[in-house]
């Protein structure tokens, strides 16, 4: 449950939330919190780093999209939710996906230390 995950991340005082869900079909989206009149700038910046790191692993680009999912709305820290598929391809490239996401978080953290995270 995404609300349970948000509560747990908040209780642990996490610095960042990075979620990953496998898609059955050919779908690659990195979501951050956004509604009319408000955007999580830290989440959007992290999503951009994730997109940059993940796109070379797939034949098609990874899309960034602002959403109002519970996990993105209810966390106090910058949060992104990665929806990647097809699942078989993601599993086959699991080590590379993990490395790409680690590099994305590291690059985001370095950028955040230098500025506002954008």
């Amino acid at each position: 449950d995404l609300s349970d995950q948000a509560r747990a991340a908040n209780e642990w005082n996490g610095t960042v939330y990075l979620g990953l869900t496998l898609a059955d079909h050919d779908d690659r989206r990195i979501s951050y919190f956004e509604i009319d009149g408000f955007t999580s700038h830290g989440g959007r910046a992290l999503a951009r780093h994730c997109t940059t790191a993940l796109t070379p692993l797939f034949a098609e680009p990874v899309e960034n999209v602002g959403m109002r999912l519970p996990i993105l709305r209810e966390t106090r820290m910058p949060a992104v939710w990665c929806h990647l598929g097809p699942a078989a391809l993601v599993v086959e490239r699991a080590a590379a996906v993990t490395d790409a996401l680690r590099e994305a978080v590291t690059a985001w953290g370095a950028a955040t230390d230098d500025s506002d995270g954008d």
Side-chain angles (χ1 to χ4, degrees):
D1 175 86
L2 295 178
S3 289
D4 287 340
Q5 289 185 33
R7 267 191 300 283
N10 290 336
E11 288 172 6
W12 295 337
N13 293 316
T15 302
V16 65
Y17 174 87
L18 177 67
L20 173 64
T21 300
L22 296 177
D24 290 331
H25 51 289
D26 199 17
D27 187 15
R28 287 161 306 283
R29 287 178 284 137
I30 309 294
S31 303
Y32 57 92
F33 183 69
E34 183 175 63
I35 58 173
D36 287 339
F38 181 81
T39 298
S40 167
H41 294 286
R44 182 178 63 190
L46 178 55
R48 287 181 187 156
H49 284 284
C50 290
T51 296
T52 299
L54 289 170
T55 294
L57 303 179
F58 298 95
E60 300 289 327
V62 177
E63 176 186 16
N64 280 334
V65 61
M67 298 183 80
R68 48 187 347 171
L69 298 169
I71 191 63
L72 305 174
R73 184 180 68 244
E74 297 171 8
T75 51
R76 290 190 297 259
M77 71 288 299
V80 298
W81 180 62
C82 305
H83 189 120
L84 301 175
L89 180 62
V90 176
V91 170
E92 175 185 304
R93 298 179 181 171
V97 169
T98 302
D99 288 345
L101 291 173
R102 185 189 68 246
E103 290 169 12
V105 171
T106 300
W108 172 81
T112 301
D113 288 345
D114 293 339
S115 68
D116 67 350
D118 263 341

